[in-house]
Amino acid sequence: MTLHSTEFSQKIRDPDQPLLKVEGLTKRYGPRIGCLDVSFDLYPGEVLGIVGESGSGKSTLLSCLAGHQRADLGRIAYDGRDVLGMSETERRRLGRTDWAFVHQNPRDGLRMGVSAGGNVGERLMAVGARHYGDIRDKAQDWLGRVEIASDRIDDRPSAFSGGMQQRLQIARNLVTGPRLVFMDEPTGGLDVSVQARLLDLLRGLVRDLGLSVIIVTHDLAVVRLLAHRLMVMKSGRVVEQGLTDQVLDDPQHAYTQLLVSSVLQV
Amino acid sequence: MTDYNFAYLDEQTKRMIRRAILKGIAVPGYQVPFASREMPMPYGWGTGGVQVTAACLVPEDKLKVIDQGADDTTNAVSIRRFFQRTANVAVTEATEEATVIQTRHRIPETPLTEGQILVYQVPIPEPLRFLEPRETETRKMHELEEYGLMHVKLYEDIARHGQIATSYAYPVKVEGRYVMDPSPIPKFDNPKLGQNPAIQLFGAGREQRIYALPPYTEVVSLDFDDHPFQPSKAAHDCDLCGAKDSYLDEVITDDAGGRMFVCSDTDFCAGRRAKGHTGRLGEAA
Amino acid sequence: MIRVENLSKSFTLHNQGSAVIPVMAGAHLSIQPGECVGLTGQSGSGKSTLMRMVWGNYLAAGGSIMVGQTDVATAEPRQIIALRRHTLGYVSQFLRVVPRVPTLDVVAEPLLALGSPLADARAKAADLLQRLNIPERLWPLSPTTFSGGEQQRVNIARGFAHAYPALLLDEPTASLDAANREVVLTLIEEAKARGAAILGIFHDEGARARVCDRLVDVTGFTPKVAA
């Protein structure tokens, strides 16, 4: 099976070049600020957490980065390519191959009327896979990696638990070997024990596949375990960024200090 | 009848429809929106096809109308009479004599020729509709040629039934560009869509779309490398005319499980019998 | 291997009237490969603060902290991440792990992060857990349910899984029984023997006397109150 995605994923990765370079990204909704003048670099294999309260602009930022919304100002370079200047065809293609997006609600990221195997296979078929047996094998392999029993391959996600749906969404996203994964509150709405299992899975995948991840969450415990670096947002602005444990253990900005001190200790 | 304009529709409307048809022919497989009119028949009875036929007809035309291959079913008879009354055109049941053929769910067995127009009645023109309900999204998918989803449907078929179970309205790709719903014709007819000398026009009244295949267009049925497209029919010969390679209807003949298979194309079957061919239950005409 | 020069630190408490609290000034420290330096001083004198600054989770206000070729005081986050992966190990007093992950994999993780094959990493982890007397039946379980002493030993095993050239040890022998304390001290001696530079906090005086080559009293780094 020849997949266009292999040409992406096998590209030689220079760990010293940022995979994603964001400069001055700004999005306004009329007079209201979505996000303002956000800049950062993301390197291969890095997990960047974006935290802040709801309304802080973290989800707006994520959707601008992933191309779901158009930023008003700024630059995004992915692997040296100007993302905002790309044609929509190119950008959507990137979204199906080299990028992945994991939604908070698996219903937003899955086709509920299509079997688990079909959900995982879709991205393969979208990039030209035309061999049923190969597609099914690959789907089977990925279901295994996200700990979904192989006899569930022909079941629809509506018959799955919330945690299974979220794992299926991850398999569906990672099957084409993306290099950059956007995650919007991936553990939100899950039971604590299910959350832990998902965190473990994500950590393993990040490590084994060398993924770069941007994860938006309001859960500081999740970012402590998952993110290498942290960006704290308030009112659309990045008020502090740095090493995750440094930001959490020695916060410099007033808002971050408030945020960290507000967390209930378990 | 002088109470109606020729072929029922006013000239402005016909002009509007012809523009849509020309655009459709220029961009094979692309769904052109048009301002579908109220017709004196309910949606689902072929209002799209009737408007396309009305826009194509000229007084010299000879019209044939078929429904599921038959010239003598209610739908075919009503539409034929409609145009007899409103356009006063000649009508025929013979495929080779007709200049315009309006059809529901079949392509005639007799090969079409240059100069003929085949008009299809289309209930749902969007092949991606059952997988993606948002029109904005399906348009974007056509625009950007994102057709992976179409194969997801075929994948689901194989996963569920062990083979591609879609047996009618089987999706095709036109000239390597647009994925198109060929209307609910049996997939047995799909190979006739491609490289056809006739003009093929598709009209969807309720959905307000027209699309087209100009003569000799490349049309490929979607499939997988390891599950190739297979046109299928009942494994029988026609019980009336003995034809081995025509599409068959199954007819239940009694309460004791008796049944017969007959050509769905009545003109084709009658023509064969006229030439002396007979099947298991048939007698020479 | 580790060289701290003129290091200072203050906390600004924005939510308490923006009070600025200077906690350290003019700190100096140098540790050679194969050397173990113990920090002393009363509780609250800044031992943990200094150690956290070397680890990088406390920001320095001024000065430099060289660990190998990296100045932790000014390095980019990703440089510190690389430093922690390859060069600098840390045994803290708290075990922070993803719940549900088996103890064996918690210990193997630093090796996996370096690209070791799973089997090798697990073998090394098993060896350490064995030495630290964690019963094998506990290995498939998450350490989050373990007793304090067991968690501490899992933390130590994790910190010693990879042969880091520099190691930070925060009370490694606290809450251990005599046998396990002995194992940990042996591990420290082995690390020194292979050339690791170690910075430690030991309240356990016997342990301190046995493994530390020098002691540094952090009381000397407390800023003189100006007012």
Side-chain angles (χ1 to χ4, degrees):
Chain A
M1 177 164 53
T2 48
L3 286 180
H4 302 278
S5 60
T6 51
E7 78 192 55
F8 283 112
S9 51
Q10 284 172 3
K11 210 181 276 175
I12 295 154
R13 301 171 189 185
D14 183 350
D16 294 324
Q17 286 300 313
L19 187 65
L20 192 73
K21 203 171 174 56
V22 178
E23 286 169 26
L25 205 69
T26 297
K27 170 80 186 171
R28 290 173 196 275
Y29 302 104
R32 282 192 309 117
I33 293 169
C35 60
L36 190 75
D37 198 22
V38 176
S39 303
F40 66 91
D41 291 342
L42 183 71
Y43 287 83
E46 249 185 358
V47 179
L48 173 68
I50 305 178
V51 297
E53 293 167 343
S54 41
S56 61
K58 56 192 197 305
S59 292
T60 299
L61 175 61
L62 194 72
S63 67
C64 285
L65 292 172
H68 298 169
Q69 285 192 67
R70 191 148 183 90
D72 301 328
L73 280 174
R75 278 174 45 83
I76 303 174
Y78 172 74
D79 211 8
R81 296 154 71 192
D82 175 13
V83 175
L84 298 178
M86 267 179 204
S87 70
E88 192 177 8
T89 319
E90 273 182 284
R91 201 162 53 239
R92 280 177 68 122
R93 180 169 181 80
L94 211 50
R96 289 198 308 267
T97 53
D98 237 18
W99 290 4
F101 196 105
V102 177
H103 295 264
Q104 172 174 9
N105 186 344
R107 287 171 175 274
D108 296 335
L110 290 173
R111 293 194 190 278
M112 299 306 282
V114 169
S115 70
N119 263 292
V120 178
E122 181 178 349
R123 271 168 76 108
L124 295 171
M125 293 182 247
V127 293
R130 291 293 179 265
H131 191 283
Y132 174 83
D134 289 350
I135 293 166
R136 203 166 164 82
D137 288 348
K138 259 206 145 126
Q140 194 74 269
D141 174 43
W142 267 98
L143 290 179
R145 290 208 219 182
V146 299
E147 302 169 30
I148 293 176
S150 58
D151 61 357
R152 303 301 300 269
I153 189 170
D154 293 329
D155 292 348
R156 293 185 178 173
S158 43
F160 286 4
S161 67
M164 271 174 85
Q165 287 180 1
Q166 198 56 297
R167 280 179 277 134
L168 178 62
Q169 193 193 179
I170 288 165
R172 168 179 159 88
N173 268 284
L174 296 188
V175 67
T176 50
R179 297 162 65 190
L180 177 58
V181 184
F182 301 100
M183 295 188 185
D184 190 3
E185 304 270 10
T187 58
L190 296 178
D191 289 345
V192 181
S193 62
V194 178
Q195 235 184 55
R197 191 171 177 195
L198 195 69
L199 281 176
D200 177 31
L201 176 73
L202 287 174
R203 246 158 82 120
L205 290 172
V206 164
R207 184 185 63 216
D208 297 344
L209 306 175
L211 300 175
S212 300
V213 179
I214 299 181
I215 177 170
V216 157
T217 179
H218 64 266
D219 189 335
L220 298 183
V222 166
V223 285
R224 188 185 280 275
L225 293 172
L226 215 50
H228 298 120
R229 283 200 295 137
L230 209 54
M231 246 165 55
V232 183
M233 292 192 71
K234 182 183 192 314
S235 312
R237 292 169 175 83
V238 176
V239 295
E240 182 164 356
Q241 57 176 316
L243 210 56
T244 299
D245 57 3
Q246 181 261 300
V247 173
L248 295 178
D249 295 340
D250 186 14
Q252 304 295 305
H253 189 274
Y255 176 70
T256 318
Q257 291 184 355
L258 186 67
L259 199 67
V260 171
S261 63
S262 308
V263 175
L264 299 174
Q265 296 292 327
V266 187
Chain B
M1 287 294 290
T2 52
D3 299 349
Y4 293 109
N5 189 37
F6 178 75
Y8 185 77
L9 292 174
D10 64 90
E11 292 304 311
Q12 288 300 330
T13 298
K14 284 195 278 184
R15 222 179 268 177
M16 176 272 293
I17 294 171
R18 286 177 196 137
R19 276 198 292 269
I21 292 171
L22 286 173
K23 186 169 177 183
I25 287 173
V27 191
Y30 171 70
Q31 298 168 44
V32 184
F34 78 110
S36 179
R37 296 290 191 254
E38 289 286 332
M39 297 302 286
M41 60 190 76
Y43 287 124
W45 284 61
T47 54
V50 165
Q51 291 178 79
V52 170
T53 299
C56 289
L57 279 181
V58 292
E60 299 78 38
D61 270 325
K62 206 167 217 188
L63 178 69
K64 169 182 165 80
V65 182
I66 48 175
D67 173 10
Q68 305 268 20
D71 294 86
D72 54 3
T73 52
T74 317
N75 194 249
V77 171
S78 327
I79 292 173
R80 191 162 60 228
R81 280 181 49 201
F82 173 75
F83 282 115
Q84 275 180 295
R85 284 174 65 187
T86 60
N88 198 26
V89 289
V91 294
T92 179
E93 293 192 3
T95 299
E96 58 269 34
E97 284 177 15
T99 54
V100 176
I101 303 170
Q102 180 169 335
T103 180
R104 176 174 173 267
H105 298 189
R106 274 312 308 275
I107 299 175
E109 304 289 356
T110 309
L112 301 177
T113 55
E114 286 183 16
Q116 288 184 308
I117 298 175
L118 183 61
V119 179
Y120 296 77
Q121 301 170 198
V122 181
I124 295 167
E126 179 49 71
L128 302 164
R129 178 63 67 237
F130 290 106
L131 295 152
E132 177 52 70
R134 291 167 295 182
E135 175 74 13
T136 47
E137 191 58 21
T138 55
R139 283 201 208 184
K140 187 69 77 185
M141 289 157 85
H142 282 294
E143 178 193 344
L144 303 176
E145 287 185 69
E146 292 181 359
Y147 291 133
L149 201 51
M150 217 57 251
H151 273 86
V152 173
K153 183 172 188 289
L154 301 180
Y155 170 96
E156 291 291 287
D157 258 12
I158 303 173
R160 225 161 279 274
H161 308 289
Q163 56 177 7
I164 299 178
T166 303
S167 56
Y168 63 93
Y170 192 103
V172 294
K173 196 162 201 184
V174 179
E175 287 288 324
R177 178 59 181 86
Y178 286 100
V179 165
M180 185 188 99
D181 183 329
S183 87
I185 59 171
K187 67 177 173 182
F188 173 84
D189 281 343
N190 269 28
K192 299 182 212 162
L193 292 162
Q195 304 304 332
N196 197 315
I199 294 175
Q200 299 173 79
L201 305 175
F202 299 78
R206 179 173 31 209
E207 303 266 336
Q208 313 199 330
R209 293 289 184 277
I210 286 170
Y211 50 101
L213 297 172
Y216 305 109
T217 300
E218 183 197 54
V219 179
V220 178
S221 302
L222 301 181
D223 62 3
F224 287 104
D225 297 345
D226 49 345
H227 286 267
F229 170 77
Q230 271 168 342
S232 63
K233 62 176 282 262
H236 292 273
D237 299 343
C238 173
D239 284 332
L240 294 179
C241 77
K244 295 178 186 311
D245 50 5
S246 76
Y247 192 72
L248 301 174
D249 288 338
E250 183 179 0
V251 181
I252 306 297
T253 50
D254 54 36
D255 290 345
R259 58 183 188 163
M260 62 189 292
F261 289 93
V262 296
C263 292
S264 96
D265 185 336
T266 53
D267 167 58
F268 177 77
C269 196
R272 277 179 55 86
R273 278 180 285 144
K275 285 180 196 151
H277 298 284
T278 53
R280 187 172 63 92
L281 305 169
E283 44 201 79
Chain C
M1 189 64 212
I2 300 176
R3 175 183 296 275
V4 173
E5 282 177 352
N6 200 24
L7 190 64
S8 61
K9 172 69 187 166
S10 61
F11 291 107
T12 306
L13 305 179
H14 292 282
N15 300 306
Q16 291 170 36
S18 293
V20 178
I21 304 171
V23 294
M24 190 175 292
H28 286 266
L29 189 66
S30 169
I31 309 171
Q32 301 301 314
E35 196 182 19
C36 177
V37 170
L39 296 177
T40 59
Q42 287 181 344
S43 110
S45 58
K47 302 185 294 290
S48 292
T49 299
L50 179 57
M51 188 171 274
R52 285 177 189 164
M53 287 166 80
V54 177
W55 178 241
N57 61 329
Y58 273 21
L59 275 186
S64 72
I65 309 163
M66 295 303 296
V67 177
Q69 302 301 308
T70 308
D71 182 0
V72 177
T74 56
E76 292 292 316
R78 61 187 217 94
Q79 292 175 300
I80 297 179
I81 291 163
L83 185 76
R84 289 176 181 182
R85 190 167 294 166
H86 299 277
T87 312
L88 183 62
Y90 182 29
V91 177
S92 72
Q93 296 191 67
F94 306 101
L95 182 66
R96 268 206 175 97
V97 293
V98 178
R100 200 193 78 114
V101 178
T103 297
L104 189 67
D105 290 348
V106 166
V107 176
E109 207 199 352
L111 292 168
L112 295 176
L114 284 164
S116 288
L118 185 62
D120 296 2
R122 282 192 177 152
K124 174 79 186 169
D127 178 46
L128 280 162
L129 289 170
Q130 195 102 57
R131 285 185 67 180
L132 286 156
N133 302 306
I134 303 285
E136 193 164 345
R137 62 186 164 78
L138 295 182
W139 298 358
L141 307 178
S142 166
T144 44
T145 55
F146 291 6
S147 73
E150 283 165 343
Q151 288 200 4
Q152 175 68 352
R153 280 178 278 150
V154 171
N155 221 5
I156 290 164
R158 186 178 157 87
F160 282 88
H162 169 54
Y164 297 103
L167 260 178
L168 307 176
L169 307 175
D170 190 354
E171 302 267 22
T173 55
S175 67
L176 295 186
D177 58 33
N180 284 312
R181 174 174 172 276
E182 180 58 31
V183 175
V184 173
L185 293 176
T186 309
L187 280 172
I188 295 171
E189 283 164 350
E190 287 173 8
K192 284 173 67 180
R194 64 164 168 77
I198 299 173
L199 179 63
I201 300 172
F202 303 88
H203 282 152
D204 171 355
E205 280 179 34
R208 197 193 297 164
R210 179 162 151 195
V211 295
C212 291
D213 300 291
R214 279 188 296 126
L215 298 178
V216 171
D217 186 349
V218 298
T219 316
F221 306 145
T222 307
K224 311 288 168 281
V225 180

